[in-house]
């Protein structure tokens, strides 16, 4: 089968990036998930309908937890103080352990509540509605901190570590470094086996380790030289090691840094100097650390979305209430059409975020095989749409939204980070395009290699190859593809049949748009050929419709369930949600069609020229006037000296002692 890394026109760096990504992500699942099918023009109705629902017993248990947790968050939790003092007090952490919120997903045999992913995200939504900092802390502990142990730990490792993580000890996930952000494979922290084989000797530095200075356990990603048994050659791979802060050579030299939002969370900087980590502490297999990290991030992307949903809902309700009670020109703001546009948009995005989040957690809870694209989309969609909801609420509330005591400014600040962490949204757009459309692209490449004209071959070689391949089954795949690429003949629609009859017209709209997504992906692949690998603006114009169409399908499924449950009872909340969902269908279709238009009518040429000249002009400005990355490969040490007077500092204990 043809593979993307075999494209002839791509650079060695891009080829290596594709090869590395394939090794990190692991083999393709046997069955394609919902979004990958959309790239083929198909709607996997069985993956969307009926909308996933919790087991009745677990839902009742979760409801009880939410009642206790909601009461605590409303009446006891010091959200404003946490933000102002830039610290979550230990008594708050202890209280969240006591309530079970910090051990929700840990199995009962290890002292946790043993709840599923949907229950866990419902709790994160509850926390996020009141305190973004606490939502991040809870998420970092369970979604990535101890998730690696839950997913990949041996029975002995789970017995050794999980009980304390369920009861009283936070955990941290150490992946990012001064030179490593979205490029997770570029680890500069190293480990190597000791001569007696009993330890891994760990050296390096980690950054942005949430709750690292408060944690009893770290999961650390580190490069390791490993012999590939298939080739016999030594390769660099990433392994996952569990460390504790009391190990000799572990230095938490900075507990935290002051920041714009989620100010109560602490992100540590940790240095490892010849740390001897027992071989017992290896998670999974040597060289499989990135697979472990990416598996954990699938869960972290959901909980980030849940916290964002909680904050966005609080902002939406506050914004609408302000619009109903704030009068200008002798009438409430809610009477003005542009405010009504913001109100409708907030409600539409909120409903769609909810639909996508709990569709995704339902996929995880029921054990779907292929969900990596869906979790990435969940993160992108909920962070982006949540930010838009909060921004609209700020606009409606005006100057008062900036006042600390009204709390909306805190939600605004806390929300912005979500577009950056767990994979920056721009990186996720390329991921959705590349990984979502990978199998279709390789199918098209295989057909082209079999029966397409190759300029590097002679006439006779081309003719011989084409005749040879048309005798097999390739022609059956080539003919409909050729009709679509050169004559614009679309394939048969993939229809939705399980939807409520009232929603059938909206389901048919979705079918048409999904078919068009597949068609435009094929046309763009033909037009740009190998160059599409580096044309990220083009990739985004195909990833964004895929994101929106997945949101459309999730929303359709949730509304289908709501119609069957609530229709006819006059419930005002249901009527609001139904109208919001119908508005989202219109917003989504408009956005999708705009992206398709921009595949043909865009400003890329002037954009690239403007960016090039802006970069060249900036190169003429002295680095000494600007902040420069601390480990920049071309400018380390040349930036301006940072002014930290008046900024609260969080030095680590060992580091502070050493420098006194």
């Amino acid at each position: 089968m043809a593979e993307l890394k075999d494209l002839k026109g791509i650079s060695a760096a891009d080829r290596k990036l594709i090869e590395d990504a394939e090794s990190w992500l692991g083999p393709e699942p046997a069955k394609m998930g919902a979004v990958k099918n959309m790239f083929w023009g198909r709607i996997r109705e069985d993956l969307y309908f009926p909308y996933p629902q919790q087991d009745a017993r677990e839902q009742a248990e979760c409801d009880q937890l939410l009642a206790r947790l909601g009461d605590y968050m409303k009446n006891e939790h010091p959200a404003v103080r946490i933000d102002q003092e830039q610290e979550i007090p230990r008594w708050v952490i202890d209280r969240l352990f006591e309530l079970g919120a910090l051990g929700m997903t840990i199995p009962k045999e290890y002292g946790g509540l043993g709840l599923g992913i949907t229950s866990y995200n419902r709790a994160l939504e509850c926390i996020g509605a009141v305190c973004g900092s606490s939502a991040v802390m809870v998420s970092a502990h369970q979604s990535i901190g101890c998730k690696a142990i839950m997913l990949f730990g041996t029975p002995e490792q789970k017995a050794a570590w999980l009980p304390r993580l369920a009861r009283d000890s936070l955990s941290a996930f150490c992946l990012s470094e001064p030179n490593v952000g979205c490029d997770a494979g570029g680890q500069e922290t190293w480990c190597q086996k000791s001569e007696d084989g009993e330890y891994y000797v760990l050296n390096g530095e980690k950054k942005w380790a949430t709750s690292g200075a408060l944690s009893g356990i770290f999961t650390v990603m580190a490069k390791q030289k490993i012999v590939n048994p298939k080739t016999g050659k030594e390769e660099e791979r990433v392994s996952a090691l569990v460390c504790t802060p009391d190990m000799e050579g572990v230095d938490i030299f900075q507990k935290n840094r002051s920041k714009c939002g989620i100010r109560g969370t602490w992100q540590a900087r940790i240095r490892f100097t010849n740390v001897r980590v027992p071989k017992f502490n290896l998670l999974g297999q040597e060289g499989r650390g990135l697979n472990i990290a990416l598996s954990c991030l699938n869960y972290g992307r959901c909980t980030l979305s849940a916290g964002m949903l909680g904050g966005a809902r609080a902002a939406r309700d506050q914004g609408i209430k302000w619009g109903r009670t704030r009068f200008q020109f002798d009438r409430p703001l809610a009477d003005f059409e542009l405010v009504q546009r913001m109100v409708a948009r907030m409600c539409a995005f909120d409903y769609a975020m909810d639909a996508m989040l709990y569709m995704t957690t339902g996929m995880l809870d029921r054990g779907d095989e292929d969900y990596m694209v869906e979790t990435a989309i969940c993160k992108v969609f909920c962070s982006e749409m949540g930010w838009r909801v909060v921004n609209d609420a700020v606009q409606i509330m005006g100057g008062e939204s900036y006042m600390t005591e009204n709390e909306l400014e805190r939600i605004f600040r806390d929300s912005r980070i979500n577009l950056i962490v767990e994979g920056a949204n721009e990186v996720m757009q390329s991921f959705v395009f590349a990984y979502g459309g990978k199998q279709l692209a390789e199918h098209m490449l295989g057909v082209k290699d079999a029966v397409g004209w190759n300029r590097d071959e002679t006439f006779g070689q081309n003719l011989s190859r084409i005749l040879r391949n048309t005798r097999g089954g390739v022609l059956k795949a080539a003919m409909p593809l050729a009709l679509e690429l050169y004559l614009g003949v679309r394939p048969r629609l993939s229809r939705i049949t399980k939807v409520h009859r009232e929603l059938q017209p909206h389901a048919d709209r979705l079918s048409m748009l999904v078919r068009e997504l597949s068609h435009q992906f094929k046309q763009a692949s033909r037009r740009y050929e190998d160059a599409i690998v580096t044309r990220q603006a083009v990739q985004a114009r195909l990833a964004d419709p895929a994101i929106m169409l997945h949101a459309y399908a999730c929303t359709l499924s949730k509304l289908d369930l709501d119609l069957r449950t609530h229709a006819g009872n006059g419930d005002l909340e249901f009527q609001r949600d139904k109208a919001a969902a119908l508005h989202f269908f219109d917003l989504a279709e408009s956005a999708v069609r705009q992206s398709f238009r921009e595949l043909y009518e865009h400003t890329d040429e002037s954009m690239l020229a403007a960016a090039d000249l802006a970069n060249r002009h900036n190169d003429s400005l002295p680095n000494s006037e600007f902040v420069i990355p601390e480990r920049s490969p071309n400018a380390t040490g040349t930036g301006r000296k940072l002014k930290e007077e008046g900024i609260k500092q969080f030095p680590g204990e060992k580091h502070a002692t050493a420098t006194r």
Side-chain angles (χ1 to χ4, degrees):
M1 178 181 173
E3 295 187 7
L4 293 181
K5 65 175 180 280
D6 297 327
L7 287 169
K8 294 177 181 144
I10 62 173
S11 67
D14 287 324
R15 180 171 286 106
K16 184 176 185 304
L17 178 63
I18 293 171
E19 290 173 348
D20 286 346
E22 289 176 349
S23 69
W24 302 339
L25 297 170
E28 290 278 359
K31 296 181 180 179
M32 290 192 297
V35 176
K36 288 181 185 176
N37 271 280
M38 282 188 172
F39 277 95
W40 287 76
R42 302 189 292 252
I43 298 174
R44 280 285 304 276
E45 197 170 7
D46 58 311
L47 296 179
Y48 287 111
F49 296 91
Y51 192 77
Q53 293 181 273
Q54 288 184 281
D55 170 79
R57 178 179 295 180
E58 173 159 329
Q59 182 170 343
E61 189 175 347
C62 181
D63 288 345
Q64 292 174 6
L65 170 64
L66 290 176
R68 299 192 302 270
L69 185 60
D71 180 71
Y72 160 74
M73 295 301 299
K74 181 179 179 180
N75 298 310
E76 295 181 52
H77 192 76
V80 175
R81 199 178 94 199
I82 285 171
D83 179 69
Q84 293 292 303
E85 297 182 1
Q86 303 184 59
E87 181 177 0
I88 298 175
R90 182 66 216 191
W91 72 262
V92 169
I93 298 172
D94 291 339
R95 190 80 173 90
L96 290 170
F97 269 117
E98 178 189 333
L99 288 164
L102 282 164
M104 280 181 280
T105 60
I106 295 175
K108 290 182 179 180
E109 59 264 36
Y110 301 112
L113 298 183
L115 295 176
I117 306 303
T118 297
S119 297
Y120 173 39
N121 279 269
R122 289 179 65 198
L124 261 295
E125 182 188 338
C126 173
I127 297 170
V130 177
C131 182
S133 291
S134 297
V136 170
M137 181 195 69
V138 173
S139 173
H141 171 59
Q142 289 184 92
S143 299
I144 54 178
C146 61
K147 195 68 181 180
I149 298 169
M150 291 169 58
L151 291 175
F152 298 96
T154 64
E156 293 77 15
Q157 289 173 329
K158 291 177 182 178
W161 297 321
L162 289 182
R164 57 188 292 206
L165 297 178
R167 184 178 61 249
D168 57 23
S169 183
L170 291 175
S171 56
F173 191 71
C174 299
L175 176 64
S176 297
E177 300 180 4
N179 247 355
V180 177
C182 293
D183 180 13
Q187 300 291 306
E188 295 178 352
T189 297
W190 276 88
C191 70
Q192 61 182 21
K193 274 275 190 74
S194 60
E195 290 185 6
D196 61 8
E198 294 300 310
Y199 295 90
Y200 293 91
V201 180
L202 180 65
N203 284 279
E205 184 179 317
K206 294 295 180 178
K207 189 177 183 181
W208 310 127
T210 298
S211 302
L214 307 171
S215 296
I217 284 178
F218 318 134
T219 301
V220 183
M221 300 296 152
K223 275 263 180 81
Q224 181 183 3
K225 290 184 177 179
I226 298 171
V227 175
N228 187 327
K230 294 182 180 178
T231 64
K233 295 181 179 179
E234 194 172 61
E235 299 176 353
E236 294 179 0
R237 289 288 179 259
V238 176
S239 296
L241 301 172
V242 173
C243 300
T244 55
D246 58 352
M247 289 179 174
E248 185 68 30
V250 174
D251 180 9
I252 303 173
F253 65 93
Q254 191 174 44
K255 295 178 182 179
N256 185 30
R257 287 165 66 190
S258 288
K259 49 193 173 289
C260 170
I262 57 168
R263 288 160 60 88
T265 62
W266 280 14
Q267 285 74 37
R269 297 193 67 166
I270 308 174
R271 187 176 294 121
F272 302 92
T273 306
N274 294 326
V275 180
R276 291 167 65 83
V277 183
K279 66 179 182 180
F280 175 83
N281 291 31
L282 172 73
L283 275 182
Q285 299 176 338
E286 290 183 342
R288 297 298 294 162
L290 273 181
N291 181 259
I292 291 173
L294 293 170
S295 296
C296 293
L297 288 174
N298 285 322
Y299 296 90
R301 286 169 181 154
C302 287
T303 49
L304 176 151
S305 301
M308 181 72 258
L309 175 60
R313 280 197 161 149
R316 174 203 65 186
D317 291 343
Q318 174 59 61
I320 294 174
K321 183 62 72 177
W322 191 267
R324 298 293 288 172
T325 56
R326 167 67 166 163
F327 280 63
Q328 290 287 278
F329 309 105
D330 297 322
R331 52 181 171 157
L333 295 181
D335 279 5
F336 294 95
E337 191 170 88
L338 290 181
V339 174
Q340 292 170 5
R341 183 172 68 175
M342 287 189 280
V343 168
R345 188 165 57 202
M346 288 192 296
C347 292
F349 289 156
D350 171 82
Y351 189 89
M353 288 167 63
D354 183 285
M356 182 183 287
L357 171 61
Y358 292 111
M359 174 67 76
T360 310
T361 63
M363 290 175 173
L364 292 169
D365 276 333
R366 74 191 181 201
D368 283 12
E369 183 180 355
D370 190 12
Y371 50 74
M372 192 175 287
V373 176
E374 287 72 21
T375 59
I377 286 178
C378 187
K379 183 270 173 182
V380 173
F381 184 82
C382 290
S383 63
E384 176 63 37
M385 300 309 156
W387 169 250
R388 294 186 194 181
V389 169
V390 174
N391 196 51
D392 278 342
V394 166
Q395 191 68 16
I396 292 171
M397 200 167 175
E400 282 292 339
S401 71
Y402 255 46
M403 301 300 107
T404 299
E405 65 269 21
N406 290 326
E407 300 192 33
L408 189 54
E409 63 89 23
R410 173 163 49 82
I411 299 175
F412 183 80
R413 288 186 287 104
D414 288 349
S415 298
R416 187 59 181 85
I417 191 65
N418 292 325
L419 284 75
I420 300 170
V421 295
E422 308 285 10
N425 283 5
E426 292 75 17
V427 175
M428 291 293 98
Q429 283 174 305
S430 291
F431 174 81
V432 169
F433 165 82
Y435 199 53
K438 180 175 182 290
Q439 286 161 302
L440 174 56
E442 290 181 338
H443 167 76
M444 293 175 64
L445 185 61
V447 171
K448 179 184 175 184
D449 287 348
V451 297
W453 197 265
N454 188 335
R455 296 172 188 166
D456 296 332
E457 294 181 355
T458 65
F459 177 85
Q461 288 172 327
N462 271 294
L463 188 61
S464 174
R465 173 177 47 79
I466 292 170
L467 289 173
R468 182 174 65 253
N469 286 321
T470 53
R471 297 191 190 104
V474 177
L475 190 62
K476 186 176 180 181
M479 286 303 295
L481 185 59
L483 288 172
E484 185 168 1
L485 289 176
Y486 298 103
L487 297 180
V489 178
R490 269 65 163 179
R492 184 170 56 88
L493 277 174
S494 177
R495 292 196 177 276
I496 298 172
T497 62
K498 298 178 181 178
V499 74
H500 190 285
R501 65 181 181 278
E502 185 179 337
L503 298 178
Q504 192 63 55
H506 304 289
D508 292 343
R509 289 167 72 188
L510 176 60
S511 297
M512 295 284 288
L513 291 168
V514 167
R515 180 172 68 174
E516 193 63 19
L517 169 68
S518 183
H519 178 73
Q520 295 300 338
F521 179 89
K522 294 167 190 170
Q523 291 291 350
S525 298
R526 178 178 72 89
R527 190 179 317 123
Y528 291 97
E529 295 186 322
D530 301 350
I532 202 168
V533 171
T534 58
R535 294 298 304 273
Q536 290 183 323
V538 177
Q539 294 172 14
R541 294 183 190 116
L542 292 162
D544 289 347
I547 291 167
M548 275 294 185
L549 292 177
H550 178 57
Y552 191 128
C554 295
T555 302
L556 184 69
S557 179
K558 177 174 169 55
L559 183 57
D560 173 72
L561 173 65
D562 286 350
L563 271 171
R564 297 176 192 277
T565 306
H566 300 289
N569 64 7
D571 184 332
L572 195 56
E573 183 178 0
F574 164 68
Q575 296 300 328
R576 178 203 65 182
D577 288 346
K578 178 183 176 184
L582 296 178
H583 184 47
F584 178 74
F585 296 152
D586 290 343
L587 291 173
E589 180 172 2
S590 177
V592 167
R593 293 198 181 281
Q594 178 64 24
S595 291
F596 290 158
R597 281 193 294 273
E598 290 178 1
L599 286 168
Y600 303 92
E601 300 174 7
H602 52 73
T603 59
D604 287 0
E605 286 73 21
S606 60
M607 175 271 289
L608 292 169
D612 176 60
L613 283 167
N615 285 325
R616 286 161 57 189
H617 171 263
N618 190 269
D619 287 344
S620 71
L621 303 178
N623 288 355
S624 58
E625 294 183 6
F626 301 93
V627 178
I628 299 294
E630 62 182 300
R631 298 284 178 86
S632 169
N634 66 346
T636 296
T638 63
R640 68 176 172 84
K641 181 174 172 49
L642 302 183
K643 298 177 181 178
E644 298 184 326
E645 297 82 4
I647 299 175
K648 186 174 180 179
Q649 301 298 313
F650 302 83
E653 297 300 332
K654 293 182 183 178
H655 187 70
T657 302
T659 55
R660 282 195 187 116

